[in-house]
Amino acid sequence: MSAGWNTIESDAGVFTYLLENLGVKDVQFVELFSLDAESLHQRGPVYGVIFLFKYPVGEKARETPIDGAFDYDAAESRFFAAQTIQNACGTQALLSVLLNKDDSIDIGPKLREFKDFTGAFPADLRGEALSNSELIRDVHNSFARASPFADEAQRLATEEDDVYHFVAYTEMGGKLYELDGLQPAPISHGSCSFEEFPNKVIPVLQRRIERYPAQEIRFNLVAMVRDLRIRAREIGDQDWLYQEEQRRNAWQWENALRRHNFVGFIGETLKGVVRSKLAGGEAKYAEWVDEATKTTSTRLTERRRAKGGASEEEADEERVTEQ
């Protein structure tokens, strides 16, 4: 946790219900598995995309971005907030798209009030206002995974740490913008209409990914789109509507599981199993432990063989040693 903000996952179900709980209407997220403009078009209308990537901790601040150009006027005329706290970048990226699309999305009274209140603020004060919003923080934290262990979120990251960051891409005022709270202003990537957004954003994302080594695959991309159930109803596709409803049910179940800490339950289950074995006497308990040890050893050996590791003779020796 960082000053009250917990880490959340880059997950379409998390983001969809996070915005719904903030009062947003008729919006959902879809996960994208390929950088394909046509498949993105098919999810339309597309309001923006959220990109998760490994952040280069040791990278120094630049006067000009590697790709695109800073637009300081847009930092004042559009909703752009500086990131002033750790762990909030996911929700901040969502709001960066959402609060710049309030002409076509019903953002609800609470977020409308927040945008109106911060409208005249500079980017740094908008970031402070976002970080100190109890409503946004509480909804954000309600989707964090429960953990019984102390984390190190308040420890400053080093170059050896794997640190991940969210940024948003959206069309505003006829331009394609990258909205990153760690940058001094929105980054313009040239002219772009709302309809052209899927075609224009894909090359920008490809160039960004190309900055990383070829073996780096830890990226995640989700798109903010209109609720797909609306379109299914409009065209009368009952099968599609059923699939989307089932997807929503699965998301709700997964989000409910995130709120629970199962370590205590697992501990009590193990104690119950051991207690039942001890009830049969020490000999029965020893027999159970020996059987479990052999089963585990056999599974490890089979796994090594499947990976082309140890030979059969070596595996037999390992089984004896492990027992």
Side-chain angles (χ1 to χ4, degrees):
M1 185 172 68
S2 181
W5 288 79
N6 298 339
T7 302
I8 63 172
E9 299 175 58
S10 180
D11 179 85
V14 169
F15 291 166
T16 297
Y17 279 98
L18 191 156
L19 290 190
E20 186 171 296
N21 289 358
L22 285 172
V24 180
K25 305 295 184 183
D26 300 334
V27 168
Q28 77 170 79
F29 287 84
V30 294
E31 191 163 3
L32 303 174
F33 298 100
S34 65
L35 293 178
D36 179 11
E38 182 58 33
S39 63
L40 188 55
H41 265 295
Q42 293 173 359
R43 311 300 182 104
V46 181
Y47 303 116
V49 297
I50 311 299
F51 183 55
L52 175 70
F53 60 97
K54 184 178 178 182
Y55 188 77
V57 177
E59 186 175 82
K60 296 181 180 179
R62 302 172 59 92
E63 294 184 1
T64 59
I66 297 176
D67 191 15
F70 289 128
D71 187 340
Y72 291 94
D73 291 336
E76 302 300 324
S77 62
R78 303 290 178 173
F79 182 85
F80 178 75
Q83 184 179 331
T84 61
I85 195 169
Q86 296 181 48
N87 298 338
C89 60
T91 295
Q92 185 160 335
L94 307 187
L95 296 179
S96 294
V97 174
L98 185 71
L99 297 184
N100 284 299
K101 292 296 180 184
D102 57 324
D103 57 340
S104 54
I105 298 176
D106 182 357
I107 65 174
K110 296 297 184 181
L111 289 181
R112 169 62 61 192
E113 180 182 349
F114 175 80
K115 183 179 180 180
D116 291 344
F117 174 71
T118 60
F121 290 1
D124 57 342
L125 287 184
R126 284 191 194 128
E128 289 291 346
L130 193 158
S131 299
N132 288 289
S133 169
E134 290 188 11
L135 168 69
I136 298 173
R137 183 179 64 242
D138 290 347
V139 172
H140 168 102
N141 285 344
S142 70
F143 291 92
R145 283 190 177 275
S147 174
F149 307 108
D151 62 34
E152 297 182 330
Q154 297 187 25
R155 176 179 64 83
L156 292 177
T158 67
E159 294 187 26
E160 287 72 33
D161 290 322
D162 287 338
V163 178
Y164 295 90
H165 183 55
F166 293 90
V167 297
Y169 293 86
T170 190
E171 177 274 332
M172 301 187 302
K175 291 183 179 180
L176 170 59
Y177 282 101
E178 175 184 332
L179 303 174
D180 181 354
L182 296 181
Q183 299 296 336
I187 298 174
S188 171
H189 290 281
S191 63
C192 175
S193 67
F194 182 78
E195 293 74 19
E196 292 175 323
F197 175 75
N199 294 90
K200 293 291 185 73
V201 74
I202 295 300
V204 175
L205 292 168
Q206 289 173 332
R207 291 196 297 271
R208 178 147 206 161
I209 292 174
E210 287 170 0
R211 300 180 204 170
Y212 290 82
Q215 65 270 21
E216 179 58 68
I217 59 172
R218 290 171 292 182
F219 303 102
N220 185 263
L221 184 66
V222 294
M224 182 188 294
V225 302
R226 187 176 65 155
D227 189 336
L228 294 176
R229 295 174 300 178
I230 296 176
R231 188 175 178 190
R233 293 189 186 101
E234 289 175 346
I235 64 176
D237 192 331
Q238 295 302 314
D239 289 338
W240 185 14
L241 179 60
Y242 175 77
Q243 291 175 3
E244 292 302 323
E245 293 288 1
Q246 291 298 104
R247 191 191 315 276
R248 292 288 182 127
N249 291 337
W251 283 347
Q252 288 182 316
W253 172 248
E254 292 167 2
N255 289 336
L257 292 179
R258 286 184 175 92
R259 297 185 178 94
H260 295 282
N261 166 22
F262 292 97
V263 172
F265 170 76
I266 294 170
E268 290 302 315
T269 300
L270 289 175
K271 286 194 288 185
V273 171
V274 172
R275 191 180 299 114
S276 67
K277 297 298 180 180
L278 286 173
E282 292 187 8
K284 193 70 175 178
Y285 176 76
E287 179 183 344
W288 173 62
V289 171
D290 185 55
E291 181 182 348
T293 302
K294 290 179 180 179
T295 300
T296 301
S297 179
T298 300
R299 289 176 179 172
L300 289 173
T301 301
E302 291 174 349
R303 189 178 304 167
R304 293 189 185 99
R305 287 174 177 170
K307 292 181 178 180
S311 65
E312 187 170 344
E313 291 77 9
E314 290 172 334
D316 290 338
E317 291 178 2
E318 287 178 357
R319 186 186 295 111
V320 173
T321 302
E322 289 167 350
Q323 290 179 15

